[in-house]
PDB file of all heavy atoms in Angstrom:
ATOM      1  N   GLY A 290     -15.819  13.364  -3.861  1.00 98.00           N
ATOM      2  CA  GLY A 290     -16.308  12.997  -5.186  1.00 98.00           C
ATOM      3  C   GLY A 290     -17.687  12.363  -5.210  1.00 98.00           C
ATOM      4  O   GLY A 290     -18.131  11.899  -6.256  1.00 98.00           O
ATOM      5  N   MET A 291     -18.366  12.314  -4.061  1.00 98.00           N
ATOM      6  CA  MET A 291     -19.662  11.647  -4.015  1.00 98.00           C
ATOM      7  C   MET A 291     -20.790  12.661  -3.982  1.00 98.00           C
ATOM      8  O   MET A 291     -20.725  13.642  -3.245  1.00 98.00           O
ATOM      9  CB  MET A 291     -19.752  10.773  -2.747  1.00 98.00           C
ATOM     10  CG  MET A 291     -18.694   9.704  -2.665  1.00 98.00           C
ATOM     11  SD  MET A 291     -18.701   8.590  -4.077  1.00 98.00           S
ATOM     12  CE  MET A 291     -20.375   7.961  -3.956  1.00 98.00           C
ATOM     13  N   LEU A 292     -21.829  12.417  -4.776  1.00 98.00           N
ATOM     14  CA  LEU A 292     -23.022  13.255  -4.693  1.00 98.00           C
ATOM     15  C   LEU A 292     -24.233  12.402  -5.040  1.00 98.00           C
ATOM     16  O   LEU A 292     -24.118  11.367  -5.695  1.00 98.00           O
ATOM     17  CB  LEU A 292     -22.907  14.480  -5.607  1.00 98.00           C
ATOM     18  CG  LEU A 292     -22.851  14.301  -7.111  1.00 98.00           C
ATOM     19  CD1 LEU A 292     -24.263  14.333  -7.699  1.00 98.00           C
ATOM     20  CD2 LEU A 292     -22.046  15.445  -7.729  1.00 98.00           C
ATOM     21  N   SER A 293     -25.395  12.837  -4.557  1.00 97.00           N
ATOM     22  CA  SER A 293     -26.632  12.126  -4.873  1.00 97.00           C
ATOM     23  C   SER A 293     -27.617  13.099  -5.487  1.00 97.00           C
ATOM     24  O   SER A 293     -27.581  14.302  -5.185  1.00 97.00           O
ATOM     25  CB  SER A 293     -27.229  11.489  -3.618  1.00 97.00           C
ATOM     26  OG  SER A 293     -26.407  10.427  -3.181  1.00 97.00           O
ATOM     27  N   ILE A 294     -28.453  12.550  -6.364  1.00 98.00           N
ATOM     28  CA  ILE A 294     -29.494  13.383  -6.981  1.00 98.00           C
ATOM     29  C   ILE A 294     -30.836  12.685  -6.833  1.00 98.00           C
ATOM     30  O   ILE A 294     -30.910  11.459  -6.757  1.00 98.00           O
ATOM     31  CB  ILE A 294     -29.226  13.658  -8.487  1.00 98.00           C
ATOM     32  CG1 ILE A 294     -29.070  12.346  -9.267  1.00 98.00           C
ATOM     33  CG2 ILE A 294     -28.026  14.558  -8.659  1.00 98.00           C
ATOM     34  CD1 ILE A 294     -28.932  12.551 -10.780  1.00 98.00           C
ATOM     35  N   LEU A 295     -31.874  13.513  -6.789  1.00 97.00           N
ATOM     36  CA  LEU A 295     -33.224  12.978  -6.707  1.00 97.00           C
ATOM     37  C   LEU A 295     -33.915  13.243  -8.033  1.00 97.00           C
ATOM     38  O   LEU A 295     -34.104  14.401  -8.431  1.00 97.00           O
ATOM     39  CB  LEU A 295     -33.985  13.658  -5.561  1.00 97.00           C
ATOM     40  CG  LEU A 295     -35.356  13.082  -5.248  1.00 97.00           C
ATOM     41  CD1 LEU A 295     -35.258  11.623  -4.802  1.00 97.00           C
ATOM     42  CD2 LEU A 295     -36.038  13.922  -4.161  1.00 97.00           C
ATOM     43  N   LEU A 296     -34.243  12.145  -8.731  1.00 97.00           N
ATOM     44  CA  LEU A 296     -35.045  12.246  -9.954  1.00 97.00           C
ATOM     45  C   LEU A 296     -36.497  12.017  -9.556  1.00 97.00           C
ATOM     46  O   LEU A 296     -36.809  11.860  -8.373  1.00 97.00           O
ATOM     47  CB  LEU A 296     -34.581  11.187 -10.965  1.00 97.00           C
ATOM     48  CG  LEU A 296     -33.104  11.269 -11.385  1.00 97.00           C
ATOM     49  CD1 LEU A 296     -32.733  10.098 -12.291  1.00 97.00           C
ATOM     50  CD2 LEU A 296     -32.790  12.592 -12.079  1.00 97.00           C
ATOM     51  N   ALA A 297     -37.389  11.963 -10.542  1.00 94.00           N
ATOM     52  CA  ALA A 297     -38.778  11.631 -10.235  1.00 94.00           C
ATOM     53  C   ALA A 297     -38.805  10.250  -9.575  1.00 94.00           C
ATOM     54  O   ALA A 297     -38.013   9.379  -9.929  1.00 94.00           O
ATOM     55  CB  ALA A 297     -39.604  11.624 -11.516  1.00 94.00           C
ATOM     56  N   ASP A 298     -39.721  10.060  -8.618  1.00 93.00           N
ATOM     57  CA  ASP A 298     -39.773   8.789  -7.883  1.00 93.00           C
ATOM     58  C   ASP A 298     -40.430   7.692  -8.707  1.00 93.00           C
ATOM     59  O   ASP A 298     -41.435   7.096  -8.304  1.00 93.00           O
ATOM     60  CB  ASP A 298     -40.512   8.982  -6.554  1.00 93.00           C
ATOM     61  CG  ASP A 298     -39.578   9.512  -5.472  1.00 93.00           C
ATOM     62  OD1 ASP A 298     -38.371   9.178  -5.508  1.00 93.00           O
ATOM     63  OD2 ASP A 298     -40.053  10.252  -4.600  1.00 93.00           O
ATOM     64  N   GLU A 299     -39.838   7.408  -9.876  1.00 93.00           N
ATOM     65  CA  GLU A 299     -40.386   6.356 -10.742  1.00 93.00           C
ATOM     66  C   GLU A 299     -39.220   5.502 -11.239  1.00 93.00           C
ATOM     67  O   GLU A 299     -38.253   6.024 -11.788  1.00 93.00           O
ATOM     68  CB  GLU A 299     -41.076   6.977 -11.964  1.00 93.00           C
ATOM     69  CG  GLU A 299     -42.335   7.742 -11.644  1.00 93.00           C
ATOM     70  CD  GLU A 299     -42.766   8.571 -12.851  1.00 93.00           C
ATOM     71  OE1 GLU A 299     -42.729   8.037 -13.980  1.00 93.00           O
ATOM     72  OE2 GLU A 299     -43.097   9.748 -12.655  1.00 93.00           O
ATOM     73  N   THR A 300     -39.366   4.206 -11.090  1.00 94.00           N
ATOM     74  CA  THR A 300     -38.330   3.265 -11.515  1.00 94.00           C
ATOM     75  C   THR A 300     -37.992   3.474 -12.992  1.00 94.00           C
ATOM     76  O   THR A 300     -36.833   3.386 -13.395  1.00 94.00           O
ATOM     77  CB  THR A 300     -38.833   1.823 -11.302  1.00 94.00           C
ATOM     78  OG1 THR A 300     -39.350   1.749  -9.982  1.00 94.00           O
ATOM     79  CG2 THR A 300     -37.733   0.815 -11.468  1.00 94.00           C
ATOM     80  N   GLU A 301     -39.035   3.750 -13.791  1.00 95.00           N
ATOM     81  CA  GLU A 301     -38.859   3.905 -15.227  1.00 95.00           C
ATOM     82  C   GLU A 301     -37.919   5.079 -15.562  1.00 95.00           C
ATOM     83  O   GLU A 301     -37.066   4.969 -16.444  1.00 95.00           O
ATOM     84  CB  GLU A 301     -40.250   4.100 -15.880  1.00 95.00           C
ATOM     85  CG  GLU A 301     -40.291   3.857 -17.357  1.00 95.00           C
ATOM     86  CD  GLU A 301     -39.355   2.732 -17.824  1.00 95.00           C
ATOM     87  OE1 GLU A 301     -39.390   1.610 -17.264  1.00 95.00           O
ATOM     88  OE2 GLU A 301     -38.566   3.011 -18.748  1.00 95.00           O
ATOM     89  N   VAL A 302     -38.083   6.166 -14.827  1.00 95.00           N
ATOM     90  CA  VAL A 302     -37.246   7.356 -15.041  1.00 95.00           C
ATOM     91  C   VAL A 302     -35.786   7.028 -14.702  1.00 95.00           C
ATOM     92  O   VAL A 302     -34.855   7.375 -15.443  1.00 95.00           O
ATOM     93  CB  VAL A 302     -37.762   8.541 -14.177  1.00 95.00           C
ATOM     94  CG1 VAL A 302     -36.778   9.701 -14.199  1.00 95.00           C
ATOM     95  CG2 VAL A 302     -39.137   8.975 -14.661  1.00 95.00           C
ATOM     96  N   VAL A 303     -35.595   6.311 -13.607  1.00 96.00           N
ATOM     97  CA  VAL A 303     -34.227   5.945 -13.182  1.00 96.00           C
ATOM     98  C   VAL A 303     -33.610   4.992 -14.208  1.00 96.00           C
ATOM     99  O   VAL A 303     -32.451   5.162 -14.610  1.00 96.00           O
ATOM    100  CB  VAL A 303     -34.251   5.300 -11.773  1.00 96.00           C
ATOM    101  CG1 VAL A 303     -32.878   4.749 -11.414  1.00 96.00           C
ATOM    102  CG2 VAL A 303     -34.710   6.318 -10.736  1.00 96.00           C
ATOM    103  N   ASN A 304     -34.388   4.019 -14.670  1.00 96.00           N
ATOM    104  CA  ASN A 304     -33.873   3.075 -15.657  1.00 96.00           C
ATOM    105  C   ASN A 304     -33.458   3.775 -16.940  1.00 96.00           C
ATOM    106  O   ASN A 304     -32.420   3.466 -17.519  1.00 96.00           O
ATOM    107  CB  ASN A 304     -34.935   2.012 -15.975  1.00 96.00           C
ATOM    108  CG  ASN A 304     -34.795   0.805 -15.052  1.00 96.00           C
ATOM    109  OD1 ASN A 304     -33.713   0.534 -14.546  1.00 96.00           O
ATOM    110  ND2 ASN A 304     -35.893   0.109 -14.834  1.00 96.00           N
ATOM    111  N   ARG A 305     -34.278   4.741 -17.366  1.00 96.00           N
ATOM    112  CA  ARG A 305     -33.944   5.459 -18.603  1.00 96.00           C
ATOM    113  C   ARG A 305     -32.634   6.239 -18.435  1.00 96.00           C
ATOM    114  O   ARG A 305     -31.773   6.246 -19.306  1.00 96.00           O
ATOM    115  CB  ARG A 305     -35.087   6.413 -18.983  1.00 96.00           C
ATOM    116  CG  ARG A 305     -35.638   6.108 -20.378  1.00 96.00           C
ATOM    117  CD  ARG A 305     -36.770   7.041 -20.727  1.00 96.00           C
ATOM    118  NE  ARG A 305     -37.852   6.949 -19.750  1.00 96.00           N
ATOM    119  CZ  ARG A 305     -38.726   7.943 -19.469  1.00 96.00           C
ATOM    120  NH1 ARG A 305     -38.623   9.108 -20.084  1.00 96.00           N
ATOM    121  NH2 ARG A 305     -39.684   7.769 -18.598  1.00 96.00           N
ATOM    122  N   PHE A 306     -32.488   6.871 -17.273  1.00 97.00           N
ATOM    123  CA  PHE A 306     -31.264   7.623 -16.980  1.00 97.00           C
ATOM    124  C   PHE A 306     -30.042   6.680 -17.000  1.00 97.00           C
ATOM    125  O   PHE A 306     -29.009   6.984 -17.597  1.00 97.00           O
ATOM    126  CB  PHE A 306     -31.418   8.310 -15.617  1.00 97.00           C
ATOM    127  CG  PHE A 306     -30.211   9.070 -15.162  1.00 97.00           C
ATOM    128  CD1 PHE A 306     -29.747  10.181 -15.872  1.00 97.00           C
ATOM    129  CD2 PHE A 306     -29.522   8.700 -14.009  1.00 97.00           C
ATOM    130  CE1 PHE A 306     -28.635  10.888 -15.443  1.00 97.00           C
ATOM    131  CE2 PHE A 306     -28.410   9.401 -13.571  1.00 97.00           C
ATOM    132  CZ  PHE A 306     -27.972  10.494 -14.296  1.00 97.00           C
ATOM    133  N   MET A 307     -30.198   5.499 -16.404  1.00 96.00           N
ATOM    134  CA  MET A 307     -29.101   4.522 -16.382  1.00 96.00           C
ATOM    135  C   MET A 307     -28.726   4.055 -17.783  1.00 96.00           C
ATOM    136  O   MET A 307     -27.547   3.921 -18.112  1.00 96.00           O
ATOM    137  CB  MET A 307     -29.494   3.294 -15.546  1.00 96.00           C
ATOM    138  CG  MET A 307     -29.441   3.549 -14.072  1.00 96.00           C
ATOM    139  SD  MET A 307     -29.981   2.092 -13.161  1.00 96.00           S
ATOM    140  CE  MET A 307     -29.678   2.648 -11.490  1.00 96.00           C
ATOM    141  N   HIS A 308     -29.760   3.800 -18.601  1.00 96.00           N
ATOM    142  CA  HIS A 308     -29.504   3.346 -19.973  1.00 96.00           C
ATOM    143  C   HIS A 308     -28.795   4.416 -20.790  1.00 96.00           C
ATOM    144  O   HIS A 308     -27.905   4.134 -21.584  1.00 96.00           O
ATOM    145  CB  HIS A 308     -30.822   2.971 -20.667  1.00 96.00           C
ATOM    146  CG  HIS A 308     -31.333   1.627 -20.256  1.00 96.00           C
ATOM    147  ND1 HIS A 308     -30.655   0.463 -20.536  1.00 96.00           N
ATOM    148  CD2 HIS A 308     -32.448   1.259 -19.589  1.00 96.00           C
ATOM    149  CE1 HIS A 308     -31.330  -0.560 -20.053  1.00 96.00           C
ATOM    150  NE2 HIS A 308     -32.420  -0.109 -19.457  1.00 96.00           N
ATOM    151  N   ARG A 309     -29.217   5.673 -20.590  1.00 97.00           N
ATOM    152  CA  ARG A 309     -28.714   6.754 -21.430  1.00 97.00           C
ATOM    153  C   ARG A 309     -27.281   7.158 -21.088  1.00 97.00           C
ATOM    154  O   ARG A 309     -26.519   7.563 -21.952  1.00 97.00           O
ATOM    155  CB  ARG A 309     -29.601   7.996 -21.253  1.00 97.00           C
ATOM    156  CG  ARG A 309     -30.955   7.873 -21.889  1.00 97.00           C
ATOM    157  CD  ARG A 309     -30.866   8.355 -23.344  1.00 97.00           C
ATOM    158  NE  ARG A 309     -32.179   8.790 -23.767  1.00 97.00           N
ATOM    159  CZ  ARG A 309     -32.560  10.060 -23.817  1.00 97.00           C
ATOM    160  NH1 ARG A 309     -31.717  11.024 -23.480  1.00 97.00           N
ATOM    161  NH2 ARG A 309     -33.766  10.358 -24.201  1.00 97.00           N
ATOM    162  N   SER A 310     -26.925   7.085 -19.804  1.00 97.00           N
ATOM    163  CA  SER A 310     -25.598   7.552 -19.415  1.00 97.00           C
ATOM    164  C   SER A 310     -24.536   6.559 -19.883  1.00 97.00           C
ATOM    165  O   SER A 310     -24.663   5.349 -19.705  1.00 97.00           O
ATOM    166  CB  SER A 310     -25.519   7.716 -17.902  1.00 97.00           C
ATOM    167  OG  SER A 310     -24.171   7.901 -17.542  1.00 97.00           O
ATOM    168  N   GLN A 311     -23.500   7.074 -20.509  1.00 97.00           N
ATOM    169  CA  GLN A 311     -22.388   6.247 -20.965  1.00 97.00           C
ATOM    170  C   GLN A 311     -21.218   6.281 -19.984  1.00 97.00           C
ATOM    171  O   GLN A 311     -20.448   5.336 -19.896  1.00 97.00           O
ATOM    172  CB  GLN A 311     -21.872   6.759 -22.319  1.00 97.00           C
ATOM    173  CG  GLN A 311     -22.911   6.763 -23.419  1.00 97.00           C
ATOM    174  CD  GLN A 311     -23.386   5.349 -23.728  1.00 97.00           C
ATOM    175  OE1 GLN A 311     -22.579   4.461 -23.957  1.00 97.00           O
ATOM    176  NE2 GLN A 311     -24.696   5.148 -23.714  1.00 97.00           N
ATOM    177  N   ARG A 312     -21.070   7.379 -19.278  1.00 97.00           N
ATOM    178  CA  ARG A 312     -19.889   7.571 -18.435  1.00 97.00           C
ATOM    179  C   ARG A 312     -20.105   7.180 -16.978  1.00 97.00           C
ATOM    180  O   ARG A 312     -19.160   7.193 -16.194  1.00 97.00           O
ATOM    181  CB  ARG A 312     -19.423   9.041 -18.497  1.00 97.00           C
ATOM    182  CG  ARG A 312     -19.154   9.545 -19.902  1.00 97.00           C
ATOM    183  CD  ARG A 312     -18.150   8.685 -20.659  1.00 97.00           C
ATOM    184  NE  ARG A 312     -16.833   8.668 -20.086  1.00 97.00           N
ATOM    185  CZ  ARG A 312     -15.820   9.418 -20.494  1.00 97.00           C
ATOM    186  NH1 ARG A 312     -15.968  10.243 -21.499  1.00 97.00           N
ATOM    187  NH2 ARG A 312     -14.647   9.352 -19.912  1.00 97.00           N
ATOM    188  N   PHE A 313     -21.353   6.884 -16.608  1.00 98.00           N
ATOM    189  CA  PHE A 313     -21.653   6.498 -15.225  1.00 98.00           C
ATOM    190  C   PHE A 313     -22.307   5.120 -15.199  1.00 98.00           C
ATOM    191  O   PHE A 313     -23.508   4.996 -14.995  1.00 98.00           O
ATOM    192  CB  PHE A 313     -22.588   7.531 -14.566  1.00 98.00           C
ATOM    193  CG  PHE A 313     -21.940   8.857 -14.310  1.00 98.00           C
ATOM    194  CD1 PHE A 313     -21.827   9.789 -15.338  1.00 98.00           C
ATOM    195  CD2 PHE A 313     -21.433   9.176 -13.050  1.00 98.00           C
ATOM    196  CE1 PHE A 313     -21.228  11.022 -15.106  1.00 98.00           C
ATOM    197  CE2 PHE A 313     -20.833  10.399 -12.819  1.00 98.00           C
ATOM    198  CZ  PHE A 313     -20.727  11.332 -13.844  1.00 98.00           C
ATOM    199  N   PRO A 314     -21.539   4.041 -15.429  1.00 97.00           N
ATOM    200  CA  PRO A 314     -22.147   2.715 -15.371  1.00 97.00           C
ATOM    201  C   PRO A 314     -22.715   2.447 -13.980  1.00 97.00           C
ATOM    202  O   PRO A 314     -22.167   2.935 -12.982  1.00 97.00           O
ATOM    203  CB  PRO A 314     -20.979   1.769 -15.670  1.00 97.00           C
ATOM    204  CG  PRO A 314     -19.753   2.550 -15.377  1.00 97.00           C
ATOM    205  CD  PRO A 314     -20.086   3.981 -15.649  1.00 97.00           C
TER     206      PRO A 314
END
Side-chain angles (χ1 to χ4, degrees):
M291 300 303 301
L292 65 90
S293 291
I294 56 175
L295 187 62
L296 301 175
D298 276 328
E299 292 167 44
T300 311
E301 198 35 51
V302 170
V303 172
N304 269 334
R305 238 179 302 153
F306 178 64
M307 284 178 175
H308 282 295
R309 288 271 205 100
S310 168
Q311 301 297 309
R312 305 305 296 262
F313 291 81

